[in-house]
Amino acid sequence: MNDQDPNLNIPNNWDRRGLPAWSFFNPEMFEMEKDMLFRRHWQVVCHASDVPNTGDFLAFDIVGERALIIRGEDGEIRAFHNLCRHRGSRVVGEESGTCKSAIICPFHGWAYNLDGTLRGAAQPKTLPDLDPVEFGLKPLEFEVWKGFVFVRFQPGPQPSVKQILSRLEAEVDQYNTEDFVPTGDGFWAEEVNANWKCVRDVDNEGYHVPMAHPGLQDLYGGNYYDEPLTDGSNRSFATFRDSPARLWSVRQYKNILQSPDNLDDTHKDAWLYIGMFPNFVISLYPDSISFYQEFPISNGKCIQRGAVYKHKNEDRRMRLSRYLSGRIDRLTTKEDEQLIEWTWEAAFSSAYDGVVLSDLEYGVKAYHDELRRLFPVLTQEEPAAGTVESQNAALLEKVKGDR
């Protein structure tokens, strides 16, 4: 039983094994994950305040897909594939910027209106008549939740973001996340030499905090607890320790922080984390909000990406608080990177024969369960080369038949 939170009903006997080692380096498994998890599940791109004005855009690349978020002349945000209908070029080559009145493809100069319709092709007499809607930018499924912009490249099994996070909405509402704005530091990205699942395995449990994260332990210590993945979302929460802090950043942060009045007493001196399967986490602090995600480049390499947002009317005191919480977070991220890479290395060792999870790592098990639901082949020995996808499909059919 998790003695940090009596509301977590963890069974006395449960499967404490993690994913099989082969799942971390099998190339067929990797391709299945790219398709199902990163193309067919919601992926966060930015906050609405990252594109505040007409023509402002932001581009986002993941597993071979290219998204374009842009604000139109009507003030509405839209999402498109960053793909010209002529030859498939990117219609915007920069990560962010502003299109004054039209989106101009840098390859041949095809022009698109800010609503995605085709304005005109270069040298139109050399082409047949092109319908402006049919040959407009391909729209991308998207949703804005509490200010955060999500896209989905292909249809998938998840309901709307709002439905997935509905049980946590009332708690998040008090933070007024729609009103936050960029800090001016842009997006951060770190390349990690590990399979992306290793990031999730480290992030889905706080058992390692006392040993690995002196800053977090000094800030909230044993007051931290994780709630496992439930219906696609999970939550972690920590109130600050009452005892004096030892580390300079933590001590100054607790002394300077003056929480906004919109937060209730439980959240004034606390950090809240909300997660959504497969790879989204939003951090909600009294002084700032942020998001982070990870996505794969190859079996042994992934990107961690995120951004921090500040209160719109941030004063000097709040700015100092945000600097200090960011300093604690940056150190924590670096500490986690080492643990993630060690976790990845383990899968290649001849001595590695799986893991034994603590009750405090039940969140890891819950996440693995969701992966096993989508990929029941993960419950098997490594299939022969070329058969992973077919075996997984057969197992999914069997599950359907047993219902």
Side-chain angles (χ1 to χ4, degrees):
M1 194 73 176
N2 185 337
D3 59 6
Q4 288 184 301
D5 181 17
N7 296 317
L8 297 185
N9 296 314
I10 297 175
N12 291 324
N13 297 307
W14 54 279
D15 188 350
R16 297 175 182 272
R17 297 171 297 175
L19 297 175
W22 67 264
S23 70
F24 291 93
F25 50 74
N26 184 283
E28 296 167 67
M29 189 70 227
F30 178 67
E31 291 303 317
M32 290 165 60
E33 290 170 347
K34 282 165 61 178
D35 181 59
M36 173 55 74
L37 298 178
F38 296 96
R39 290 191 178 97
R40 299 182 185 273
H41 281 69
W42 293 109
Q43 296 296 323
V44 68
V45 178
C46 62
H47 190 274
S49 61
D50 286 309
V51 286
N53 304 310
T54 298
D56 287 350
F57 71 83
L58 193 139
F60 173 62
D61 295 2
I62 180 172
V63 296
E65 300 287 357
R66 311 191 307 242
L68 168 64
I69 306 298
I70 190 164
R71 193 176 289 273
E73 293 180 353
D74 56 1
E76 294 296 317
I77 288 176
R78 293 178 176 84
F80 302 100
H81 290 272
N82 185 9
L83 186 121
C84 182
R85 299 303 305 281
H86 173 217
R87 294 274 296 277
S89 168
R90 295 172 184 267
V91 289
V92 298
E94 302 82 14
E95 182 178 316
S96 62
T98 302
C99 297
K100 291 184 178 179
S101 61
I103 305 164
I104 309 296
C105 177
F107 195 176
H108 294 90
W110 281 37
Y112 298 88
N113 296 308
L114 300 185
D115 64 2
T117 55
L118 179 66
R119 176 178 289 191
Q123 301 189 42
K125 292 182 179 180
T126 67
L127 292 158
D129 289 337
L130 301 174
D131 181 85
V133 175
E134 182 183 353
F135 287 91
L137 298 178
K138 286 192 174 182
L140 196 54
E141 185 180 9
F142 79 102
E143 184 176 347
V144 181
W145 181 82
K146 305 299 177 188
F148 289 95
V149 182
F150 296 81
V151 299
R152 182 160 56 181
F153 295 95
Q154 294 291 327
Q158 287 181 307
S160 68
V161 176
K162 180 177 177 61
Q163 184 176 336
I164 297 168
L165 299 176
S166 60
R167 68 186 184 91
L168 304 166
E169 195 164 90
E171 183 177 28
V172 174
D173 276 346
Q174 64 183 301
Y175 287 88
N176 300 326
T177 56
E178 296 94 335
D179 296 335
F180 280 71
V181 297
T183 62
D185 297 324
F187 296 85
W188 60 267
E190 294 285 344
E191 197 170 277
V192 183
N193 293 317
N195 181 274
W196 72 272
K197 293 190 293 297
C198 297
V199 180
R200 284 294 94 224
D201 280 359
V202 170
D203 198 54
N204 279 325
E205 53 91 359
Y207 185 31
H208 68 284
V209 168
M211 191 71 184
H213 298 315
L216 298 186
Q217 181 67 9
D218 199 26
L219 180 62
Y220 45 65
N223 297 334
Y224 176 87
Y225 63 86
D226 297 302
E227 296 175 6
L229 192 70
T230 303
D231 297 328
S233 66
N234 60 292
R235 174 182 180 271
S236 300
F237 187 71
T239 54
F240 302 162
R241 297 174 65 176
D242 292 331
S243 56
R246 296 181 299 104
L247 300 177
W248 180 87
S249 293
V250 177
R251 186 168 60 252
Q252 296 302 320
Y253 178 62
K254 290 172 69 175
N255 288 338
I256 292 171
L257 177 65
Q258 189 170 25
S259 297
D261 294 336
N262 49 284
L263 296 182
D264 63 31
D265 290 342
T266 304
H267 293 77
K268 282 185 182 297
D269 297 310
W271 283 6
L272 169 66
Y273 306 89
I274 300 296
M276 186 177 74
F277 186 84
N279 64 326
F280 167 70
V281 179
I282 176 176
S283 306
L284 300 136
Y285 302 165
D287 54 277
S288 60
I289 62 170
S290 62
F291 79 82
Y292 61 91
Q293 65 192 149
E294 72 286 331
F295 51 87
I297 299 175
S298 64
N299 259 334
K301 189 167 291 186
C302 64
I303 293 287
Q304 283 190 289
R305 170 185 181 265
V308 181
Y309 301 89
K310 64 181 181 179
H311 288 279
K312 187 181 294 184
N313 299 314
E314 180 185 66
D315 59 18
R316 183 173 179 272
R317 184 167 187 160
M318 191 65 80
R319 185 168 67 253
L320 286 171
S321 299
R322 176 170 58 83
Y323 165 77
L324 292 164
S325 68
R327 193 169 188 269
I328 297 167
D329 263 347
R330 285 190 295 274
L331 291 172
T332 300
T333 298
K334 282 298 179 186
E335 291 156 359
D336 272 342
E337 282 180 15
Q338 181 65 81
L339 301 177
I340 291 162
E341 291 180 2
W342 285 346
T343 302
W344 163 244
E345 292 172 357
F348 294 90
S349 171
S350 61
Y352 184 80
D353 55 5
V355 301
V356 181
L357 296 173
S358 157
D359 284 352
L360 298 177
E361 297 168 298
Y362 195 78
V364 177
K365 188 261 187 190
Y367 187 87
H368 289 177
D369 281 348
E370 184 63 13
L371 290 176
R372 286 185 282 253
R373 186 182 69 81
L374 294 169
F375 306 111
V377 72
L378 292 173
T379 64
Q380 312 287 310
E381 295 293 326
E382 183 174 14
T387 69
V388 178
E389 186 172 3
S390 60
Q391 285 203 32
N392 193 66
L395 290 167
L396 286 170
E397 284 300 315
K398 184 177 184 301
V399 170
K400 288 181 183 178
D402 292 342
R403 287 175 183 168

